[in-house]
Amino acid sequence: MARRSQGIIITDKYQMRTWARSMRHNSIALVPTMGFLHDGHLSLIQEAHNHAQLVVVSIYVNPSQFAPSEDLSTYPSDFDADIRKLMTVPGGVDVIFHPHNLYDYGVESAMDCAGMANVSCLEESGSGHETWVRVERLEKGMCGRSRPVFFRGVATVVAKLFNIVDPDVALFGKKDYQQWRIIDRMVRDLDFPVKIVGFEIVRDADGLAMSSRNVRLSPIERQKALSINRSLSKAKSAAEQGELNCKSLKNLVVDEIQEAGGELDYAEIVEQKSLEAVEEIKSPVVILIAVWFGKVRLIDNIEINI
Ligand code: AMP
């Protein structure tokens, strides 16, 4: 087995499970990613060392969370660069789990998905997969409204990864806030023996939340996208200074983003755990937004702990 700083690459799910079982006397942290790693991912992976003895990073662009109209085919990837970046993480990683296809079950009858509503790229490609994890209420709003198959795909692939890697702890970025809450609820509801850790958003120096999709922004769009964090910070300051009406706070966000030329998908102020919309801030909330700049959809959020 290779040294820890380098890690070993496993592409086969059965080998991954065998490795995990052989390491059962150690604690294992899993960091699921879709690759094209940036410093946000690397900080998350570094944090994993504080929670377990061994760190597994999965790199897998999951087709079941993309609708055919979404950006699966253009989702950026550069596995060699990812490996080089992982080697810079203090403490390294123990395994890079890079499966080619997590939904390949050998000879299976393909489903006919013609005419089916809300089909993902996975079903469209004719996989025989038909078992889904749904976190019914938490997945409904925000990103779930705009991307109807998204959270079903995320929860399902994370459940599969948990079954394959059998981690003691798994780390998720709060950048994908709704996703983090959904996975946390799935683990509770289905008794997965995994502790879920939410990790703070890592931003570039100019405030833009790091994202694999940022490379697809033109320089001008990137400049305009700074309005996202600016607007969220403005709303948070206003709330801290006593403006507790969510409609007024939302207007601050919407105005700033629209002025910069962003096309808002949603802006919601919700209770942090239940993700229920609130009208007046009385307990900790989070402002969640998704905005289009050109062809790129960015999400971001800010917690307000009043
Ligand atoms: P992705 O590859 O985009 O699916 O992200 C993999 C993990 O990294 C998810 O848990 C994300 O929430 C997390 N992540 C992505 N970007 C950031 C960021 N800027 N700060 C913190 N975590 C992040």
Side-chain angles (χ1 to χ4, degrees):
M1 195 164 301
R3 290 184 312 279
R4 150 167 257 196
S5 59
Q6 215 158 341
I8 52 170
I9 299 168
I10 298 180
T11 56
D12 177 85
K13 64 180 173 184
Y14 301 104
Q15 272 177 22
M16 183 66 245
R17 188 174 286 138
T18 302
W19 179 90
R21 287 195 173 152
S22 73
M23 292 293 165
R24 270 309 351 145
H25 50 290
N26 297 289
S27 54
I28 298 177
L30 171 67
V31 183
T33 80
M34 296 208 299
F36 210 70
L37 303 177
H38 50 64
D39 284 350
H41 293 118
L42 300 183
S43 304
L44 185 64
I45 292 162
Q46 194 176 332
E47 172 67 14
H49 285 294
N50 296 328
H51 298 271
Q53 291 159 308
L54 301 172
V55 173
V56 177
V57 174
S58 63
I59 297 183
Y60 181 61
V61 182
N62 172 34
S64 77
Q65 69 193 58
F66 289 82
S69 58
E70 294 174 351
D71 59 350
L72 175 65
S73 61
T74 57
Y75 196 84
S77 75
D78 186 342
F79 186 63
D80 292 340
D82 286 346
I83 300 295
R84 284 195 297 276
K85 286 177 191 167
L86 285 172
M87 288 173 73
T88 68
V89 175
V93 299
D94 295 279
V95 172
I96 299 152
F97 180 42
H98 184 49
H100 297 309
N101 183 353
L102 276 182
Y103 303 90
D104 180 1
Y105 308 113
V107 190
E108 276 284 345
S109 53
M111 283 193 307
D112 178 11
C113 63
M116 272 168 69
N118 299 333
V119 164
S120 71
C121 290
L122 176 71
E123 290 137 297
E124 202 194 38
S125 72
S127 158
H129 184 94
E130 56 175 318
T131 306
W132 300 104
V133 179
R134 305 209 70 144
V135 182
E136 293 191 344
R137 195 184 49 76
L138 287 180
E139 72 166 34
K140 275 209 170 79
M142 296 159 298
C143 283
R145 194 164 47 236
S146 316
R147 307 183 65 189
V149 300
F150 179 63
F151 287 122
R152 178 191 79 161
V154 169
T156 301
V157 82
V158 170
K160 283 163 77 71
L161 288 168
F162 285 177
N163 284 331
I164 295 166
V165 178
D166 193 16
D168 299 277
V169 54
L171 292 91
F172 292 84
K174 289 192 189 178
K175 154 126 184 333
D176 299 273
Y177 201 92
Q178 191 176 7
Q179 167 175 292
W180 166 51
R181 291 299 192 192
I182 282 174
I183 298 300
D184 200 44
R185 188 60 57 93
M186 174 188 85
V187 160
R188 187 200 75 175
D189 290 355
L190 297 183
D191 296 306
F192 279 99
V194 185
K195 180 182 170 204
I196 302 300
V197 173
F199 184 69
E200 296 306 322
I201 302 174
V202 180
R203 298 180 180 280
D204 274 321
D206 57 13
L208 188 66
M210 291 185 185
S211 163
S212 304
R213 289 187 167 95
N214 290 353
V215 291
R216 292 174 47 215
L217 293 165
S218 71
I220 291 174
E221 286 165 350
R222 199 186 183 292
Q223 198 57 33
K224 291 178 173 179
L226 300 183
S227 60
I228 295 177
N229 185 43
R230 209 166 48 231
S231 72
L232 291 172
S233 303
K234 211 181 208 179
K236 181 173 174 146
S237 301
E240 285 170 348
Q241 283 160 30
E243 176 56 89
L244 300 178
N245 181 278
C246 291
K247 200 165 173 212
S248 312
L249 293 171
K250 246 194 266 184
N251 285 342
L252 286 179
V253 173
V254 173
D255 290 350
E256 182 92 27
I257 286 173
Q258 285 179 344
E259 237 167 71
E263 199 187 312
L264 213 74
D265 179 354
Y266 65 77
E268 302 276 356
I269 303 181
V270 299
E271 199 273 325
Q272 285 183 8
K273 232 175 165 179
S274 68
L275 303 185
E276 291 289 347
V278 292
E279 287 178 7
E280 191 85 13
I281 300 180
K282 296 188 181 116
S283 57
V285 296
V286 55
I287 309 179
L288 298 164
I289 58 176
V291 190
W292 288 93
F293 284 94
K295 289 197 165 71
V296 187
R297 181 177 176 276
L298 300 175
I299 60 170
D300 203 342
N301 65 79
I302 200 162
E303 288 181 322
I304 301 175
N305 294 307
I306 290 179

